[in-house]
Amino acid sequence: MTKQSYAIIGSGALGGLYGALLAKAGHEVHFLLHSDYEFVKQHGLTVESIWGDFHLPSVHAHNRAESIPPCDVTLLALKTTNNHLLEKLLPPSTCGAGVVLCLQNGLDVESDAAAIVGNDRVLGGSCFLCSNKVGPGHIRHLDQGRIVFGEWGPTAIPISERARRIESEFQSAGIEVNATHDLPMTRWRKLLWNIPFNGLSVVLNASTKELIEDNNSVALAKRIINEVHAGAAGCGVMIPEMFKEKTMEATRVMVPYDSSMRLDYLAGRPMEIDAIFRRPLAAAERAGVMMPAVATLADQLSFLGRKHSA
Amino acid sequence: MTKQSYAIIGSGALGGLYGALLAKAGHEVHFLLHSDYEFVKQHGLTVESIWGDFHLPSVHAHNRAESIPPCDVTLLALKTTNNHLLEKLLPPSTCGAGVVLCLQNGLDVESDAAAIVGNDRVLGGSCFLCSNKVGPGHIRHLDQGRIVFGEWGPTAIPISERARRIESEFQSAGIEVNATHDLPMTRWRKLLWNIPFNGLSVVLNASTKELIEDNNSVALAKRIINEVHAGAAGCGVMIPEMFKEKTMEATRVMVPYDSSMRLDYLAGRPMEIDAIFRRPLAAAERAGVMMPAVATLADQLSFLGRKHSA
């Protein structure tokens, strides 16, 4: 079977890492870049990773979506705060029969891509990844890295052939990956971490290590996790109880890390409040479940984001 | 009728202001001072107030509670974070038949004084006051200033003779004051403001003006006010609905002001989290009412306080 071609829309800490691994494994990979374009075109990509360091001296770098050819798989790795750009960024690489794999944070973020390419051409996934872009074309992958992805829909969907093929190619490229039949479960389980730890790291100006070592922030994180767990249940996603404690434990053993939201905040970039907070809040509320501590965090983040950018 | 004598335990922005007004009106007033003692002993007290500026060149200044003689009324105006000192500070001025008027923030804070002088010798009150200590023995009273006080107990109690006498003396001294038969109502109504605006001003690092001008913090403050209102109702205190909006409106017309909790935080002093948050949370929980946004704020404040003092 020929190797599929990939387009990476958003070649940062996440898209850059996975795209580089796929390119290293011999796939045709097209990277859409913004500020790093000139540098990467000249010098390629450098990856420091717990899976092994490497350098790609030459990659297919693009500074306009229009120059990307049709690809079999388009990895959507932009921040959701840029989803208003998808109308322009997605059509070139998806003008063939290719699919979109949306690796963005949050809930129901696939709907934005689906509005452009159609519901039946979208998969979604969560990345459990600690990775930072530390310089132009330079990615540092610190911890974890697993992708869990599957067909997108309101409920569980059997693992498709196309998902199996992507899974197999990712595995061959050295990426920890699992195809799943239950994307909603995957999304909500990721939110179990993202909502408390992204939110509190910004509002309390703290690293995950600080948050996990203080009794009050631990109590608060647990309370928030309980709310998210109940919100998921309201939406029909029954996360096993043990994942509550597993989420705390994962944070306890995590390398000290600034959450992506905190990095965005400190850098003065917009935060993914809509994808990570407002959409889950709205979904839970439609199901009749209120998440008052989550709503508190969301409003605090909105206030801080506005103040910071003012 | 002879004028009553007063002891002021905690001669800061609040105790200093009311004590100075009583002294100016001809009462014997004993001020317990800490860092300002030497200055005040030499130079007296200076008050800038919306009710009129004045200077008292000579006052009864004390740097030890032991030197204060028995007084008719002991005004307790310490921060509740210092209530562990009451065992030492209250006995001298209360060793006669005098009463304690507890003007501290929070809920059920009178119980700390009552444990020392007995339940039947304690009154409590809330001050709706914007006042800062701006230098040694120098108080700046910016806005409002009303005291609402009454006999202390778990439910409403008819206004007593001794409360009427204190009310009358405060009025004669130019202080806006109302005796009330319903101290629990007074306490919870004050909490309706203190919980959202003290808490958010610290967590969001914002003045009341900033909080009242942002849609997200306004929505959040309203959500918190709803919780406090329900908590009060659980405790049998039925605050009329209109006070929710009145609380927001009072903040809207308030001079831009740093809440006392924010000033404490910025100065590295302990915050009154126990009195203003934990005691109301516990009282509501005993009544079966959860206040999750309030609990969120409380844990955030505890985290920030610990981090700040670390």
Side-chain angles (χ1 to χ4, degrees), chain B residues 86-151:
Chain B
L86 293 184
E87 221 174 341
K88 208 177 147 206
L89 301 182
L90 277 184
S93 65
T94 61
C95 70
V99 297
V100 174
L101 172 52
C102 173
L103 294 180
Q104 301 179 301
N105 275 319
L107 191 69
D108 245 340
V109 287
E110 296 85 357
S111 60
D112 295 349
I116 292 158
V117 303
N119 288 358
D120 56 339
R121 290 172 65 197
V122 175
L123 299 92
S126 291
C127 305
F128 299 84
L129 172 70
C130 297
S131 177
N132 300 139
K133 193 161 76 82
V134 294
H138 187 173
I139 289 144
R140 188 172 293 149
H141 167 208
L142 297 163
D143 203 4
Q144 308 200 44
R146 195 162 57 101
I147 301 174
V148 182
F149 77 102
E151 294 289 335

Side-chain angles (χ1 to χ4, degrees), chain A residues 300, chain B residues 196-205 211 217 220-221 224 297:
Chain A
Q300 291 176 330
Chain B
F197 289 102
N198 274 286
L200 291 175
S201 69
V202 171
V203 173
L204 299 180
N205 186 26
L211 293 174
S217 47
L220 179 51
I224 294 168
L297 264 187

